[in-house]
Amino acid sequence: MTTFKFSWDKQDKPATHKVFARKRKTQDGQRSLKNKQNFKASDKVLSNVPQSLNRPISSNMEKRKSVKIGTKRTEIVFDRPNYEQKLIKRKGKKDKILKSTEEGNELEETTNQNKLHSLFSEKHKSIHVNTNVTGRALIENVFSVGMTFSKLDIHRHLASNLEKHSFKILTSIQEKAIPVVLRGKNALIKSQTGSGKTLVYAIPVLDYLIKLTPKIKRSDGLQSIIVVPSRELALQIHEVFNKLNTFQWIVVGHLCGGENRKTEKDRLRKGVHILIGTPGRLLDHVLHTAAFDAKNVQCLVLDEADRLLDMGFKQDISRLVEEIKNHKISKSYNPLALLKGQNRNIETPVTETDTTTNNIQTILLSATLSKGILELTNFLMKEHEYIETLEQSAVGRENLVIPETVRQEFLITFVKHRLVMLGALIVSKTKNVGKTFVFMATTQMVDFHYELFTKCLINMPKRGGKLKFGEVVLLDDFEWEEDDENEGLELQLFKLHGNMDQNQRKEVFNGFRKAEKGVLICTDVAARGLDVPEADCIIQYTAPVSNDDYIHRVGRTGRVGKSGSALIFLTHEEQEYINRLREHRVFLQEAKKDFLKDLSGLMMEPEEDKAILALQKRFELALSSDKQLHRKGCLAYSSWSRFYSTYPANMKTVFNFKNLNLGHYCTSFALQETPTMIAKRVKKAITAVEPKRLNKKLANHGDSEESSKASKKRPVKSLSLTTSEFSSGLEPVKKKRKKS
């Protein structure tokens, strides 16, 4: 007979028992102790034990019992000393647990949530940058001392138009540059953003056309060409000219990519005197539009010249200058006039080796001075005057000039908190009237954050705190009561990037300028030259690639002496960037996190950690329930990772892609997958999209040798060259070979 001995552990769990198997004498008469094992209740041995033995044992129950299992007799031994005492202790323990359940539910739930999201797992990272460092930044005086536009040698009607639009006192750069440009000299002008550089060339160009006698006609064609890097800047400059130009005989037009080419051709055919456009579209019309006649051009302006070079327009600008030069040569040579005996004293034509634009006044304007700007200046102009407002002792390419009225701050935050911190900042902007630029690295990031904030933040009702972090549901699935306020946040959200349609970009730009409270999520396409007077805050969600980009981003606020603030997001691994800026005499102060109080009020959570967790959970649930939004989130993360790995060599020590925890950055995009899973999803999404087909007829430059060789097809053989004149035209009959 086999004997099994059961003994319960300290916790009195009947699921697992210690079983000792012992056999009687074997056939050879020897006694043997078999194995010592741990069996579970689901094992075959215990499954044959009657269920009556699994019941609680009373004090007078037998400690040994013999049970017949199958054909064998088995003895069960229960070793449970002091069972009743243990049972009483266990019952008391259960009562204590039940008593403290209600009190500990919230704590346990919070702990589980923290473990689930791990938003607060990083608590011991320190800020080693000295936040109290101050210094004297490089300051450029914006306004002149009492110089007014009426004192300039310009037409009196033009001066009165300037006064009507509150242009009274000249800025420092206007005081120095406008007299030089009025004399018709070439100029290279360097000044900080928001210092009024547009009027430096707008006033002289209009003044020249107003004073022409007889009055200029549409048939006289182009007189001035202004080249700008972006469509929004072209529209803005066009608006400035329209304000000053109350003279009906002077026509101002603009050419931008994305517009109707046929409409632009008709406009050029009727006649335009001042033309503002982007390099690509201008060159397109120069090469393919017969009505684009540049033989009478007197002035060429390159505004935001540093940005033109950064965007890769150097080749287009060079080709545009060459075409203008060819138009000037064709004007000097008129064979019909020679036959009629007219115009015998022909001007000396420009030689082929001379690449400068002779007889054309050229003006370059830039907020920074780089090697590329100097090379472009030498290419376009033989002689020019360099104009800036800084003192000679302060001149240096390594120093950055930021408007004095801008308060610059930095926010060092954990990677996982970046998304929620940005949302909290947007919520805080609803309290004050103003406009905010939020700069991001890629167009996919702009699309994703715009849609996410629109769905889960801007449209959140004022009593959105009802949706606790433990029971977070989407707004679309939650039914509000009739007395609940459901207007959403009093804030308009906009997006702007280069991949948008031209009509959309124009509508967004105009809508943002007209809005009382607005946030524009954009790429660096909005970083150059745009003038939004009410813009009081700049947020750089991703750090710029160069110091020039930092200047132009911050320059969207604090324009013409107005106050503003600029905030840049940095992680603990990127905080060395603050010291880099200090080397260029740009001093940032640490920002306070007062805006988290506004988030706590919106989510109706007194604790900031719970409010952060609630908003993060809302974002994650939004992605999990919306496939299209989740796809945009994956694309945004993928585009960000590609951007981050392309920082220049001098920035790699600060923004090093190899040192990043990509899993944490996935959380900052509200994604719950691993980076590998996201990469696979993105790969499938990209392969499913067909590439856009380009219109080869509108190409500005010739194809490369490889593409031209690939496009060539095999020549088709002509039947007339391979067929005899006596042939019937039928295919010859193939004779079968005779078998030998």
Side-chain angles (χ1 to χ4, degrees), residues 405-527:
T405 55
V406 178
R407 184 181 74 257
Q408 302 178 74
E409 297 176 330
F410 65 88
L411 178 64
I412 297 180
T413 180
F414 297 110
V415 176
K416 296 179 181 180
H417 296 178
R418 281 170 56 85
L419 182 62
V420 180
M421 289 294 180
L422 180 60
L425 277 170
I426 293 177
V427 171
S428 66
K429 296 302 175 185
T430 59
K431 287 191 172 183
N432 302 321
V433 177
K435 297 172 186 177
T436 304
F437 285 84
V438 180
F439 287 99
M440 296 190 176
T442 65
T443 59
Q444 290 83 359
M445 291 180 65
V446 171
D447 287 334
F448 167 68
H449 288 89
Y450 170 79
E451 187 169 347
L452 179 66
F453 290 153
T454 301
K455 182 176 182 180
C456 301
L457 195 63
I458 299 300
N459 292 332
M460 181 189 297
K462 292 183 179 180
R463 297 181 65 181
K466 273 190 168 184
L467 310 179
K468 299 295 183 180
F469 68 94
E471 300 175 355
V472 178
V473 296
L474 295 179
L475 297 176
D476 298 340
D477 301 331
F478 192 85
E479 296 182 359
W480 296 95
E481 299 177 2
E482 294 181 357
D483 58 342
D484 287 336
E485 297 180 359
N486 197 16
E487 298 88 356
L489 298 179
E490 296 178 358
L491 184 72
Q492 289 183 268
L493 195 64
F494 304 89
K495 70 173 181 178
L496 182 65
H497 56 73
N499 289 348
M500 295 173 60
D501 182 71
Q502 175 60 20
N503 294 330
Q504 293 179 346
R505 291 176 64 170
K506 187 184 298 184
E507 182 180 353
V508 166
F509 181 62
N510 293 331
F512 180 61
R513 297 183 70 179
K514 294 177 182 178
E516 291 186 0
K517 297 180 182 179
V519 174
L520 178 66
I521 303 176
C522 58
T523 58
D524 282 336
V525 72

Side-chain angles (χ1 to χ4, degrees), residues 131-144:
T131 58
N132 297 322
V133 175
T134 58
R136 187 176 182 274
L138 199 60
I139 299 174
E140 179 179 344
N141 295 326
V142 179
F143 292 100
S144 62

Side-chain angles (χ1 to χ4, degrees), residues 123 189 201 273 330 364 449 459 488 497 502 519 554 586 656:
K123 291 186 177 181
I189 301 169
Y201 58 83
H273 300 134
S330 64
L364 270 72
H449 288 89
N459 292 332
H497 56 73
Q502 175 60 20
V519 174
V554 175
V586 176
N656 193 345

Side-chain angles (χ1 to χ4, degrees), residues 37-90:
Q37 299 177 353
N38 288 331
F39 291 91
K40 292 183 179 179
S42 59
D43 291 344
K44 293 182 179 180
V45 176
L46 296 180
S47 62
N48 295 326
V49 178
Q51 295 183 359
S52 59
L53 298 180
N54 293 329
R55 292 179 297 177
I57 306 173
S58 61
S59 59
N60 53 3
M61 183 180 288
E62 294 181 349
K63 294 184 179 180
R64 303 176 67 91
K65 191 168 184 178
S66 179
V67 181
K68 185 177 182 182
I69 302 176
T71 57
K72 298 181 179 179
R73 197 74 178 172
T74 305
E75 185 178 10
I76 308 297
V77 180
F78 299 93
D79 185 11
R80 301 186 63 182
N82 300 327
Y83 178 78
E84 294 181 358
Q85 186 177 359
K86 286 187 177 181
L87 190 62
I88 294 172
K89 288 183 179 180
R90 185 179 177 189

Side-chain angles (χ1 to χ4, degrees), residues 109 132 346 391 530 590:
E109 188 176 3
N132 297 322
I346 305 174
E391 299 177 359
L530 295 188
E590 186 177 8

Side-chain angles (χ1 to χ4, degrees), residues 20 65 67 126 184 263 320 350 375 380 388 434 472 477 496 601 665 684 692:
F20 299 88
K65 191 168 184 178
V67 181
S126 60
T263 305
L320 180 63
V350 182
E375 292 176 354
L380 295 177
E388 68 173 355
V472 178
D477 301 331
L496 182 65
Y665 276 97
K684 291 181 181 179
K692 294 182 179 180

